[in-house]
Amino acid sequence: MYNIIERKIALGRIEEYLTSRGYSVKYDSNTYYLDQDTNTIHALKQYKYTNKSLCAILHEAGHTQCPDSELLTIYRRSKVDQALVIEQEYRAWDKGLSIARELHISTPAFVKIYKFEWVKHWCSYINMGASPLFETLA
């Protein structure tokens, strides 16, 4: 697990990675999300230097590198939308872990934390078909 200095270094590498690709991170939100219109990842200020925040920002960074689903061209309905969200979220978590490895911040302890967050959140996407949040993601 990272100490505060290591988390600051890791966060700096993630932000530098994003900046080099035309994205920025703003710590001004009550949730983590990528605004595609402004190429900005919005994050929680109060958790800036936590492992959980590193995982969430890496996940959002993953979204910046994932192309749209090939399945977007098919007839859309509730179950298809849910499947597309599940696919895109899985791919973003997977890419986020690849980014951590590329940036050399993927210690065994951090990978364990990242995978825990990945599974926790990905399972929530599977169960969210009836949730109002699902409409936002879809």
Side-chain angles (χ1 to χ4, degrees), residues 10 20-21 27 37 46 61 65-66 71 74 85 90 100 102 113 129 138:
S20 72
R21 286 158 177 76
Y27 299 90
D37 294 332
Q46 68 269 30
Q65 301 301 305
C66 291
L71 304 175
I74 64 174
V85 167
Y90 182 90
E102 179 182 334
I113 293 166

Side-chain angles (χ1 to χ4, degrees), residues 27-40:
Y27 299 90
D28 63 352
S29 179
N30 61 356
T31 188
Y32 296 92
Y33 69 96
L34 170 63
D35 182 341
Q36 294 278 16
D37 294 332
T38 62
N39 287 349
T40 303

Side-chain angles (χ1 to χ4, degrees), residues 79-97:
K79 286 292 184 186
V80 172
D81 285 346
Q82 186 176 4
L84 292 172
V85 167
I86 291 167
E87 174 204 16
Q88 291 295 293
E89 294 302 323
Y90 182 90
R91 292 173 74 195
W93 280 104
D94 187 46
K95 184 61 182 172
L97 185 55

Side-chain angles (χ1 to χ4, degrees), residues 39-105:
N39 287 349
T40 303
I41 292 174
H42 295 274
L44 283 76
K45 181 177 185 176
Q46 68 269 30
Y47 299 116
K48 185 173 182 178
Y49 298 113
T50 64
N51 285 319
K52 191 172 193 155
S53 184
L54 291 175
C55 293
I57 293 169
L58 281 166
H59 166 73
E60 296 305 329
H63 278 296
T64 70
Q65 301 301 305
C66 291
D68 286 339
S69 174
E70 291 289 328
L71 304 175
L72 282 173
T73 59
I74 64 174
Y75 177 72
R76 306 277 306 272
R77 58 188 178 282
S78 177
K79 286 292 184 186
V80 172
D81 285 346
Q82 186 176 4
L84 292 172
V85 167
I86 291 167
E87 174 204 16
Q88 291 295 293
E89 294 302 323
Y90 182 90
R91 292 173 74 195
W93 280 104
D94 187 46
K95 184 61 182 172
L97 185 55
S98 294
I99 293 167
R101 288 180 173 132
E102 179 182 334
L103 299 175
H104 305 289
I105 59 174

Side-chain angles (χ1 to χ4, degrees), residues 13-24 65 102-103:
R13 288 182 186 176
I14 296 165
E15 289 177 350
E16 187 177 303
Y17 171 90
L18 287 163
T19 300
S20 72
R21 286 158 177 76
Y23 292 88
S24 63
Q65 301 301 305
E102 179 182 334
L103 299 175

